[in-house]
Amino acid sequence: MAGTIEARLQALDIALPEAKPPVASYVPFIHMNGQLLVSGQLPMQDGAIAVKGQLGGNVTLEDGQAAARLCALNIMAQAKLALGDLDRITQLLRLNGFVCAAPEFGDHPKVINGASDLFVEVFGDKGRHTRIAVGCASLPLNAAVEIDAVFAID
C-alpha cells in the first residue's frame, strides 16, 4: 500500500526519477541523529542536465524555476532511496539553492521557488522550510541550478 506522500505524488501525476549516483567523490546522502542530508542535486532529466547556463543570460526565469523543480524531484528520489519511504520525513528543515547567474541577475529567490513550491505541494506543512538562494558564477556540468536539502526523519 502506498504511503501518504506516494499517494500525493500519484494524485499530482508526479513520477520520481531514478536516484542517480554521485558525479564526483561524495555520497548522495547521509542519515544520522534524526536527520537526512541530501547532497546537491542538479536539474538532471533522462541522464543529462536539462537546463544549462546562466540566469540573466541564456536561461529564462521560467526555465530556472523548472530546473529548480527538477532538482527537488531528484532530492525526493535520493530521499526515497535513503529511507525507503518518504513518509519517514517529518519536516523539510532547509534548502540551499545555488543559481548560476549573470552579475546583474537578482531574482534568485524566484528561481528557487520552483523547488520550494513543489515541496509544499507534495509534503504540505512538512514541506515548509528555511532556505538560502544565492547566485554564483558557475555550477557543476554547467547546470543552471543546484539544490541540497536537510530533512528531519523518524
Side-chain angles (χ1 to χ4, degrees), residues 6 10-11 15 17 21-22 28 40 52 56 65 71 86 94 107 111 146 151:
E6 292 287 333
Q10 215 169 28
K52 293 182 176 185
Q65 291 168 329
C71 292
L86 292 174
R94 177 106 170 151
D107 284 334
V111 172
E146 180 175 6
F151 297 95

Side-chain angles (χ1 to χ4, degrees), residues 114-135:
S116 292
D117 293 347
L118 180 62
F119 277 110
V120 172
E121 190 175 8
V122 172
F123 288 90
D125 284 340
K126 293 179 185 181
R128 298 197 183 283
H129 53 275
T130 65
R131 76 169 200 200
I132 63 169
V134 297

Side-chain angles (χ1 to χ4, degrees), residues 7 14-15 19 24 28 42 45 49 53 58 67-68 77 79-80 83 87 96 112 115 121 128-130 149-151:
I14 296 173
L42 301 174
Q45 188 172 39
I49 301 292
N58 67 314
K80 184 173 179 181
L83 302 172
D87 285 327
N96 295 307
I112 303 304
E121 190 175 8
R128 298 197 183 283
H129 53 275
T130 65
V150 179
F151 297 95

Side-chain angles (χ1 to χ4, degrees), residues 2 28 85 108 111:
D85 182 358
H108 310 86
V111 172

